Amino acid sequence: MDGAAGERTGAAHPHRENGGALERFSYDDGIVRMFVGATVVWGIVAMLVGLIVALQLAVPQMLNRTGFGWLSVLVNTEWISFGRLRPLHTNAAIFAFAGNAIFAAIYYSTQRLCKARMFSDLLSRLHFWGWQAIIVSAAVTLPLGISQSKEYAELEWPIDLAIAVVWVGFFGVNFFGTLVRRRERHMYVALWFYIATIVTVAMLHVFNNLTLPMVIAGAIKGDPVSGADIAKSWPVYAGVQDAFMQWWYGHNAVAFFLTTPFLGLMYYFLPKAAEKPVYSYRLSIVHFWSLVFIYIWAGPHHLHYTALPSWASTLGMLFSLMLLMPSWGGMINGLLTLRGAWSKVASDPILKFFVVGITFYGMSTFEGPMLSIKSINALTHYTDWTIAHVHGGALGWNGFMTFGMLYWLAPRLFQTDLWSRKMMAAHFWLGTIGIVLYVLSIYAAGLTQGLMWRAFDESGRLAYPDFVETVTAIVPMYWVRVVGGSLYLTGMIMCGVNIAMTWKRRPRMYDVPVYEAPALSSVYVDPPRPGSRLEANVGLGHKADTFIQGWWHRVWERMPIRFTVWVFIAVAVASLFEIIPTFLIRSNVPTIESVKPYTPLELAGRDIYISEGCYNCHSQMIRPIWSETKRYGEYSKPGEFVYDRPFQWGSRRIGPDLARVGGKQSHDWQVRHLEDPRQLIPQSLMPGYPHLLDQDLKFESIQARVDAMAMLGVPYADAVRAGGAERAARAQAAQIASDLETQGGYPDMAGKKVIALVAYLQRLGTDIHAPATPAVEPSGTAADASGAIEAKEGRP
Amino acid sequence: MSSERRAGERSDRSAPLMEHEYDGIREFDNPTPGWWHALFLSSVVFAIGYTMWYHASPLSASIWDKWRAAEVAEFARIFGEIGDLEPDQATIVKMMGDERMMAVAQGIFQGNCAACHAKDGGGINGVNLTDDAYKNVRELPDIFGVISNGAASGAMPAWQNMISKNERVILAAYVAGLRGTSPAAARPPEGEVIPAWPAE
């Protein structure tokens, strides 16, 4: 295109380039075409899996009706049960669909903004194929139950290593290499957002995924590790700290994987499609820096009312509120760029996608801070409201920005007209109606269930003491979601067809234009610093006024390394302000003497709980809210989780909280319920786990589990550490199996997985009443006991 | 930045265009909107104010304080006039006739017992509580004992750590009151038939 257009006025402006020799170059659009194809394919897969998990929550209540029994295949099959498939849906939507979309955007726009081909075509290909291999390995391991059970970080350590290599070694090196070799002196705002993305995602990924792999523990201690256990690992953090790290990661994965790269995408493709200048350069500076600095702090808002210390919770809320304007800065800059172009919006589906996408960004970033207000969060947390919130963001913002970009790119990449503009317009309307149906029904579901959980009747009883009543009430809305999701998926498929047909019409040989631009010379004189505009003679005032005119930022924009360092300092400093106190202040997690490590059998059962993805539907965190302690028992204390690696607090209660489920039902009830929940609770949505009653527990793997925990600092007795773990596990299993047989007649279960899981479930939340402390009455003296704990914590 | 403005070039809303251009993309030099500054600043001011109010002033109550206040109020509301209940026959019989207490107990039953004994006491994998046959109960205080300590190798869990004593007493009365009602689906009788509960 206009390779050297920016340089034409060089002579008139002494601070501009003095012009090196002209260089000829072309852009690598092949890699962009590859990422575009992958975006479409994985988009269809991610949304299809989403539709399946939506159906898995809608159909179970039909299973007991005659004629619908066959649907149990959808609900009760081991490899596609909800707990295993839901992580596949979220990972595919985030890292496969949105991931490939941002790579397409970055590879297309970075080359043009830098007037340079990507640093290395080989690294580009390694990045592409490496990323696709990671996605495929996720699609294989998650259904097999290989999972870290941390949301959006479920992939186990071998895949985590591959992600680090592909992200930093291939993508990062390629991107920064391109910046270094650029022929455009200053970096445009889109590139700033890409820098923030690459640096911060690398930091988040590495520090949230620090784990001890089972093979390493096994190798050191001489324990056998085989099969899927080779991929098994446990986080180096436990309980409260693990929860903090996870939501520092989880929140900022939304920030730096689903927000900053899409803002970069917006800053490039929106003015391109609208053919309008960006509304405000100044606003882009202010909102970029405030966004990257403030976002990092807000993670703890995912953990309000939990055992997280209250200072962290407060930081999470306040920084979320302060984040509203920095987020809206992006929305304002996007929407106001369209001033004077609204007639074009009315006729161009691409701009319509962008406008709706940016509008959803504005709504989600308003809703986020509101949901982070503690008292609002008390109602919405653990309900479907959160699900509606993220889908407003994912379907509206990420989806529609991606679609707008794909339709804008398709004719340019495939060098022919788009196959069908009508189909593109139809996609827009189907997608919009799909989002509206999805979010409205799921908001209603969230609000309904949240209000039912906290409702009391006039005599002070819970109005809906039976959890499943609150589920039955929202199943009709789950069906509306299925309809909305189907419409959105249909639109995605139409997009795929449209892009594929456009690709089919591509020319025999792509035209590869060659551009010319001078290389950056090593000599560059910045424009003179502006003087102060103040008339009064105040030294500091003059300095401040010069500073806020922002000339220094223009200097940074031509220094990618310095710029990157400052971005890293912004995100790292903000992180450390929260991480250091979380790990160092002892009173955050007061010790509870009666809380003891899990027995070897319980530990094995816990790993089954993790593997099946129970955390996807069950929290283990009773908040100090009256309706909640009434329903589930005494609220959870930080000291109860010191041996939980990883923590299992969960984020959504599709089923009831399990923090104190231990001892509430008989072993017989638990086994029957796991075999087929609808035997006992006809309206239950929970998958059946009949395979746990069939499959043998690998007792020989238990020693390695215990040894790994011991290496991480769990105080196991010497006898258990010195090879006694398996024997202890077998003895406990025999006892439980014998009780089970007496209670209800399941014979010979001692060697089965279900016994380990039941052992774990029956332990949950019981230590606080264990004999180490005298038995206490929950409503009478328990208040005093918890009061003593509060006093130790120094809580207000 | 000002030196970069092109004086002559004005856009539709008279904002100056920045001189730079990237791949054809230009930027206006519009100022950041005033309301944006105002709201951003007020969120910072609110943050400082909230922190001082919530963490440093005696005027605010923590979520744990509020929970404790709710617990004390609730206990006083339900048991305030009655005081501590003992699991003896007279108390249980008295409670069986106390409509308000039985409503409270029903809530406890629905939340904790119905999973195995069914909402109406007909029994699922826990025993039927509505018939005249009992496995571990011969007189009223035995019900309190079974609830507190469990029975049948843990088939019936022990609730003494999870439900307060007063609540277990009224729960025993509620369970006793289920006898003779007709559930929707009844498990067959288990154990021995025992005499009717005493009236006093």
Side-chain angles (χ1 to χ4, degrees):
Chain A
M1 283 183 277
D2 47 3
E7 313 302 329
R8 63 182 179 267
T9 51
H13 297 267
H15 61 273
R16 294 190 65 87
E17 303 295 336
N18 48 9
L22 275 189
E23 291 180 338
R24 296 162 64 81
F25 57 94
S26 62
Y27 297 135
D28 179 9
D29 282 346
I31 189 68
V32 186
R33 283 187 281 267
M34 289 159 77
F35 277 120
V36 161
T39 304
V40 171
V41 171
W42 292 122
I44 293 171
V45 171
M47 290 166 205
L48 188 65
V49 177
L51 184 59
I52 294 171
V53 292
L55 278 167
Q56 286 178 326
L57 295 183
V59 302
Q61 296 200 339
M62 299 164 63
L63 293 180
N64 285 347
R65 290 195 210 163
T66 42
F68 291 101
W70 59 275
L71 280 171
S72 68
V73 179
L74 178 66
V75 180
N76 297 333
T77 305
E78 177 182 356
W79 302 280
I80 59 160
S81 71
F82 184 87
R84 297 192 188 185
L85 217 51
R86 191 257 187 180
L88 184 60
H89 165 60
T90 53
N91 279 279
I94 298 170
F95 301 111
F97 171 61
N100 278 300
I102 62 178
F103 297 144
I106 291 172
Y107 276 90
Y108 186 86
S109 59
T110 299
Q111 300 187 73
R112 285 157 173 86
L113 293 170
C114 291
K115 286 190 186 137
R117 193 180 179 86
M118 288 310 294
F119 175 68
S120 157
D121 284 6
L122 175 66
L123 283 178
S124 300
R125 266 69 192 169
L126 284 172
H127 174 194
F128 177 82
W129 290 111
W131 197 256
Q132 311 315 315
I134 286 163
I135 296 167
V136 171
S137 63
V140 172
T141 55
L142 291 173
L144 288 175
I146 297 171
S147 166
Q148 295 188 139
S149 81
K150 291 178 138 193
E151 284 180 78
Y152 329 123
E154 280 94 349
L155 302 178
E156 266 291 2
W157 68 272
I159 308 177
D160 283 340
L161 283 179
I163 292 171
V165 168
V166 170
W167 186 270
V168 178
F170 302 161
F171 178 39
V173 169
N174 205 11
F175 176 83
F176 285 105
T178 312
L179 285 191
V180 168
R181 287 203 188 166
R182 74 198 186 284
R183 295 183 185 85
E184 182 75 74
R185 178 66 67 180
H186 293 91
M187 297 183 297
Y188 176 56
V189 52
L191 296 175
W192 315 344
F193 279 104
Y194 299 158
I195 290 172
T197 302
I198 294 172
V199 169
T200 316
V201 168
M203 176 181 84
L204 296 167
H205 173 75
V206 169
F207 287 99
N208 187 44
N209 286 303
L210 290 179
T211 58
L212 175 63
M214 192 166 169
V215 275
I216 292 184
I220 292 172
K221 300 286 179 180
D223 304 319
V225 175
S226 63
D229 287 341
I230 289 169
K232 172 74 189 167
S233 69
W234 296 275
V236 298
Y237 321 108
V240 171
Q241 277 117 5
D242 192 42
F244 175 85
M245 290 304 286
Q246 158 59 22
W247 285 111
W248 169 75
Y249 164 89
H251 173 73
N252 289 302
V254 175
F256 290 89
F257 207 93
L258 298 176
T259 303
T260 54
F262 281 88
L263 283 168
L265 183 161
M266 176 192 86
Y267 272 113
Y268 181 82
F269 290 93
L270 181 72
K272 278 284 189 186
E275 295 172 317
K276 286 276 176 187
V278 170
Y279 171 69
S280 169
Y281 165 67
R282 219 178 265 254
L283 179 58
S284 66
I285 296 175
V286 179
H287 101 92
F288 170 79
W289 286 103
S290 52
L291 188 97
V292 297
F293 180 69
I294 292 177
Y295 232 123
I296 285 280
W297 296 76
H301 70 210
H302 291 256
L303 298 167
H304 281 331
Y305 291 86
T306 66
L308 195 75
S310 69
W311 60 263
S313 186
T314 293
L315 284 180
M317 172 176 99
L318 296 176
F319 275 85
S320 305
L321 289 170
M322 287 189 269
L323 187 57
L324 175 57
M325 280 304 116
S327 302
W328 271 20
M331 175 188 70
I332 295 165
N333 235 354
L335 291 182
L336 291 188
T337 294
L338 293 167
R339 287 177 321 161
W342 287 99
S343 56
K344 218 178 157 193
V345 174
S347 62
D348 183 359
I350 292 175
L351 286 180
K352 280 186 194 156
F353 274 116
F354 285 150
V355 167
V356 171
I358 295 166
T359 307
F360 267 102
Y361 176 64
M363 291 196 285
S364 300
T365 53
F366 172 75
E367 189 189 8
M370 296 306 115
L371 291 180
S372 73
I373 295 172
K374 292 175 190 171
S375 51
I376 296 177
N377 192 273
L379 171 64
T380 61
H381 195 42
Y382 299 125
T383 74
D384 273 320
W385 193 311
T386 314
I387 316 299
H389 171 60
V390 298
H391 281 84
L395 303 178
W397 164 242
N398 301 121
F400 270 33
M401 295 307 285
T402 299
F403 299 142
M405 175 192 75
L406 290 176
Y407 287 123
W408 187 86
L409 278 177
R412 287 163 176 85
L413 290 174
F414 302 118
Q415 298 175 1
T416 178
D417 289 337
L418 187 71
W419 182 62
S420 167
R421 278 185 69 84
K422 270 191 181 162
M423 205 172 189
M424 166 168 68
H427 175 194
F428 171 78
W429 288 110
L430 268 184
T432 305
I433 296 167
I435 300 174
V436 170
L437 285 179
Y438 188 115
V439 297
L440 289 186
S441 61
I442 296 304
Y443 279 127
L447 198 57
T448 304
Q449 201 173 26
L451 291 172
M452 287 175 91
W453 286 343
R454 58 160 59 175
F456 286 100
D457 67 11
E458 61 290 344
S459 68
R461 298 175 297 185
L462 289 171
Y464 306 98
D466 193 2
F467 188 90
V468 82
E469 285 180 279
T470 72
V471 173
T472 303
I474 60 176
V475 166
M477 296 168 224
Y478 283 174
W479 280 109
V480 179
R481 161 163 70 182
V482 168
V483 174
S486 306
L487 292 179
Y488 197 86
L489 171 64
T490 308
M492 178 75 235
I493 292 170
M494 284 160 63
C495 174
V497 169
N498 213 346
I499 302 257
M501 297 307 285
T502 307
W503 170 76
K504 269 189 94 174
R505 299 203 305 190
R506 70 194 181 283
R508 182 181 298 272
M509 286 280 286
Y510 287 117
D511 178 34
V512 183
V514 175
Y515 301 94
E516 279 189 343
L520 292 187
S521 60
S522 53
V523 184
Y524 179 79
V525 184
D526 285 305
R529 282 187 198 193
S532 169
R533 298 161 299 188
L534 300 179
E535 282 172 16
N537 188 13
V538 187
L540 208 61
H542 285 306
K543 274 192 178 164
D545 187 57
T546 312
F547 177 81
I548 62 168
Q549 290 182 58
W551 60 273
W552 51 274
H553 198 269
R554 191 68 186 148
V555 178
W556 284 14
E557 287 166 30
R558 61 174 182 81
M559 299 176 161
I561 309 292
R562 176 185 292 198
F563 197 97
T564 305
V565 168
W566 276 108
V567 168
F568 179 72
I569 289 173
V571 294
V573 165
S575 300
L576 291 175
F577 264 110
E578 285 185 347
I579 291 173
I580 291 174
T582 301
F583 281 82
L584 293 191
I585 300 178
R586 290 187 65 112
S587 66
N588 286 340
V589 186
T591 307
I592 302 175
E593 290 298 331
S594 61
V595 172
K596 297 281 184 283
Y598 294 106
T599 67
L601 185 68
E602 289 159 5
L603 199 58
R606 191 167 200 278
D607 286 340
I608 295 172
Y609 185 98
I610 289 166
S611 167
E612 294 295 350
C614 305
Y615 66 94
N616 284 291
C617 297
H618 294 285
S619 58
Q620 288 187 19
M621 175 49 62
I622 303 169
R623 300 173 294 175
I625 295 171
W626 185 240
S627 58
E628 199 146 315
T629 53
K630 195 91 179 156
R631 185 183 295 277
Y632 300 118
E634 202 170 333
Y635 65 79
S636 300
K637 314 288 188 295
E640 293 186 81
F641 303 98
V642 291
Y643 303 120
D644 281 16
R645 292 169 197 269
F647 81 112
Q648 292 290 301
W649 297 358
S651 64
R652 168 79 181 95
R653 287 179 185 150
I654 298 173
D657 186 275
L658 299 181
R660 301 217 184 277
V661 77
K664 278 200 177 167
Q665 281 94 6
S666 62
H667 300 335
D668 177 64
W669 188 93
Q670 291 290 3
V671 173
R672 256 172 228 287
H673 185 250
L674 285 164
E675 183 182 36
D676 179 8
R678 280 156 291 279
Q679 290 181 60
L680 297 173
I681 306 169
Q683 308 89 347
S684 174
L685 303 190
M686 181 167 139
Y689 293 88
H691 59 275
L692 295 178
L693 281 72
D694 289 334
Q695 294 171 2
D696 291 327
L697 182 67
K698 277 165 66 180
F699 281 94
E700 64 278 12
S701 77
I702 292 179
Q703 188 68 49
R705 294 175 202 280
V706 170
D707 287 342
M709 287 297 139
M711 285 172 73
L712 290 168
V714 178
Y716 278 108
D718 290 343
V720 179
R721 294 170 70 166
E726 184 179 340
R727 204 165 350 105
R730 285 189 189 277
Q732 193 186 0
Q735 180 60 47
I736 291 174
S738 131
D739 287 348
L740 174 65
E741 193 167 354
T742 323
Q743 289 171 9
Y746 279 100
D748 302 325
M749 299 300 275
K752 303 300 181 189
K753 282 185 176 176
V754 73
I755 294 296
L757 183 55
V758 168
Y760 170 64
L761 291 175
Q762 296 290 27
R763 175 73 183 274
L764 278 178
T766 58
D767 276 16
I768 203 157
H769 300 298
T773 46
V776 287
E777 303 291 347
S779 289
T781 50
D784 309 332
S786 57
I789 290 165
E790 301 310 325
K792 266 198 283 181
E793 290 175 76
R795 275 184 168 141
Chain B
M1 275 191 270
S2 53
S3 65
E4 256 196 88
R5 282 176 199 160
R6 257 186 227 176
E9 199 166 337
R10 297 266 153 159
S11 82
D12 27 36
R13 296 279 163 88
S14 79
L17 259 182
M18 301 294 295
E19 190 182 71
H20 57 244
E21 165 278 310
Y22 305 95
D23 193 29
I25 299 172
R26 305 286 302 271
E27 293 178 283
F28 286 119
D29 191 23
N30 279 310
T32 319
W35 61 268
W36 189 93
H37 285 289
L39 283 176
F40 187 38
L41 220 70
S42 48
S43 69
V44 175
V45 170
F46 173 80
I48 296 166
Y50 177 89
T51 308
M52 287 167 62
W53 171 75
Y54 189 77
H55 290 280
S57 91
L59 300 173
S60 63
S62 79
I63 53 177
W64 297 278
D65 293 337
K66 285 183 188 162
W67 180 85
R68 267 195 298 281
E71 185 188 46
V72 169
E74 178 71 3
F75 202 80
R77 194 179 68 78
I78 298 176
F79 297 112
E81 293 163 21
I82 299 176
D84 287 342
L85 297 176
E86 287 305 318
D88 52 49
Q89 181 169 306
T91 310
I92 295 177
V93 171
K94 190 171 155 220
M95 288 299 117
M96 284 172 73
D98 186 329
E99 240 170 75
R100 199 172 71 91
M101 283 301 158
M102 287 306 92
V104 174
Q106 188 188 22
I108 303 167
F109 186 87
Q110 302 284 323
N112 297 292
C113 318
C116 298
H117 294 287
K119 276 189 195 175
D120 55 14
I124 301 172
N125 73 327
V127 295
N128 182 348
L129 299 172
T130 63
D131 57 25
D132 291 326
Y134 288 82
K135 283 161 86 176
N136 298 294
V137 171
R138 293 294 168 266
E139 44 193 23
L140 284 173
D142 294 343
I143 303 179
F144 176 87
V146 171
I147 293 171
S148 300
N149 305 316
S153 319
M156 169 68 192
W159 293 89
Q160 62 180 353
N161 287 329
M162 294 180 271
I163 301 177
S164 75
K165 186 174 167 191
N166 268 12
E167 289 173 319
R168 274 178 279 137
V169 172
I170 61 171
L171 186 58
Y174 179 79
V175 169
L178 286 173
R179 186 174 179 183
T181 58
S182 27
R187 251 172 86 104
E190 290 161 85
E192 290 171 37
V193 174
I194 61 169
W197 306 130
E200 199 68 37

